[in-house]
Amino acid sequence: AHGVKTVTNGDVTLNYEILSILKKDSLDIKEEDRILIKDKVSSATQDKIVIIHGTDTMIDTAKVLEGINKTIVLTGSMQPARFKNSDATFNVGFALGSALSLSHGVYIAMSGRIFSPKDVKKNIDLGRFENNSWNFFKYPHINYINAT
């Protein structure tokens, strides 16, 4: 629900369609649910898809979606949207921008980084997603400049 509010309240000027498929905690998503998600994504007329998904099983769903000839970006939040310091709004916006700029494939967009489902893990202790095999050259340092 928060992802829908982010897009509808965020002055997004793109043409988009919102489809709600499951309303389950990601720990309750079963293989048949992932097949349903895959079928919906495969049959969508759009070739750029953002999926808001619980982080506990996001990687499993991303792997099921591999092989679909579209740009598919999954995102979620490490802190629930109802929390003041939630990363939900940022991650949804980042995922949308990523979907617009990435080539066809399946990606996970979390905390300003793009991951392949084949090389990512959720680090519960640190509260973030990270590569299984860190490659320094994949993610260079970025300077943020506040010009206000």
Side-chain angles (χ1 to χ4, degrees):
H2 181 75
V4 172
K5 288 180 186 175
T6 298
V7 174
T8 57
N9 294 341
D11 196 26
V12 175
T13 58
L14 303 168
N15 291 325
Y16 62 89
E17 179 180 333
I18 297 172
L19 176 63
S20 180
I21 299 174
L22 301 172
K23 293 183 180 179
K24 291 184 174 186
D25 184 292
S26 70
L27 290 172
D28 296 327
I29 294 178
K30 307 293 183 216
E31 206 56 33
E32 58 267 18
D33 298 320
R34 289 187 179 83
I35 298 303
L36 173 65
I37 294 169
K38 183 177 183 177
D39 290 345
K40 294 290 185 181
V41 169
S42 295
S43 65
T45 58
Q46 299 84 357
D47 78 332
K48 300 192 180 292
I49 309 284
V50 173
I51 298 173
I52 300 168
H53 195 293
T55 59
D56 288 319
T57 63
M58 180 187 301
I59 298 167
D60 299 329
T61 299
K63 288 177 179 177
V64 168
L65 298 173
E66 289 182 313
I68 299 174
N69 193 29
K70 297 179 185 223
T71 304
I72 304 163
V73 180
L74 290 87
T75 195
S77 61
M78 297 302 286
Q79 296 292 324
R82 67 183 176 274
F83 290 7
K84 182 179 180 181
N85 292 326
S86 175
D87 55 339
T89 300
F90 174 81
N91 286 341
V92 170
F94 179 65
L96 179 59
S98 299
L100 293 171
S101 59
L102 292 167
S103 60
H104 284 182
V106 181
Y107 307 92
I108 292 175
M110 292 291 296
S111 304
R113 294 182 61 193
I114 302 294
F115 299 96
S116 163
K118 297 175 186 172
D119 188 38
V120 66
K121 64 181 176 181
K122 180 180 176 181
N123 185 325
I124 295 170
D125 294 332
L126 296 178
R128 66 181 182 212
F129 278 66
E130 53 192 26
N131 291 91
N132 286 322
S133 55
W134 176 252
N135 180 345
F136 175 79
F137 297 103
K138 285 185 183 177
Y139 301 100
H141 179 75
I142 298 173
N143 289 316
Y144 292 95
I145 300 171
N146 183 352
T148 57

